[in-house]
Amino acid sequence: QVQLVESGGGLVQAGGSLRLSCAVSGRTFSAYAMGWFRQAPGKEREFVAGISWTGGNTLYADSVKGRFSISRDNTKSTVYLEMNTLKPEDSAVYLCAADSSSFRRSVVPTRSIYEYWGQGTQVTVSS
C-alpha cells in the first residue's frame, strides 16, 4: 500500500523557519507529482505548493510565494517543504499528497487529483 509520512512540524516563532519532510513508500515515487496542502481548524484544505514528477516545475499558492520552497529527492523518495518567514496565519496541519496520475505534465493545485495523503504534521506559528 502507498504510505506518506510527514515530519518536521512543530512550534516556531513568527519569522522563523521549518523544514517539512514527506517520505513515500509503496509506489514509484519519481513518476508522480507531489503536493503540500494545509488545513486549519474550521477552514478548507488549501493548496500550498506542488512539484512535478520531473522536479522541473513548481507551483505555489500566492500566500506563500517567495517564502516557501518545495523540492524532492527521488533517491530518498522524499519531498520537502522549506518554510521561511513564517506567519501566524501559516499555522495549520500540513499534509503531503501524491498525484493520482503518473507523468502529469503540469502541477495541479486541485486537491481532487491527489490520490494519496499523509496524516499531516502540525505547524504552529506564534506571534
Side-chain angles (χ1 to χ4, degrees), residues 5 16 49 81 122:
V5 180
L81 185 68
Q122 178 70 49

Side-chain angles (χ1 to χ4, degrees), residues 15 28 43 84:
T28 305
K43 303 294 184 180
N84 301 306

Side-chain angles (χ1 to χ4, degrees), residues 14-32:
S17 299
L18 285 173
R19 190 193 195 200
L20 306 183
S21 298
C22 174
V24 181
S25 63
R27 79 190 322 202
T28 305
F29 174 80
S30 62
Y32 294 85

Side-chain angles (χ1 to χ4, degrees), residues 15-93:
S17 299
L18 285 173
R19 190 193 195 200
L20 306 183
S21 298
C22 174
V24 181
S25 63
R27 79 190 322 202
T28 305
F29 174 80
S30 62
Y32 294 85
M34 299 292 297
W36 286 96
F37 290 74
R38 66 187 182 188
Q39 188 165 21
K43 303 294 184 180
E44 295 288 327
R45 185 174 299 180
E46 64 174 343
F47 174 83
V48 177
I51 186 166
S52 65
W53 69 273
T54 65
N57 295 308
T58 58
L59 182 67
Y60 299 93
D62 288 341
S63 59
V64 306
K65 191 178 300 180
R67 299 188 297 120
F68 291 11
S69 180
I70 188 170
S71 61
R72 65 192 299 160
D73 185 343
N74 288 345
T75 66
K76 298 180 178 179
S77 296
T78 301
V79 62
Y80 305 95
L81 185 68
E82 180 70 33
M83 308 164 67
N84 301 306
T85 319
L86 284 162
K87 304 174 181 179
E89 52 263 45
D90 294 319
S91 297
V93 173

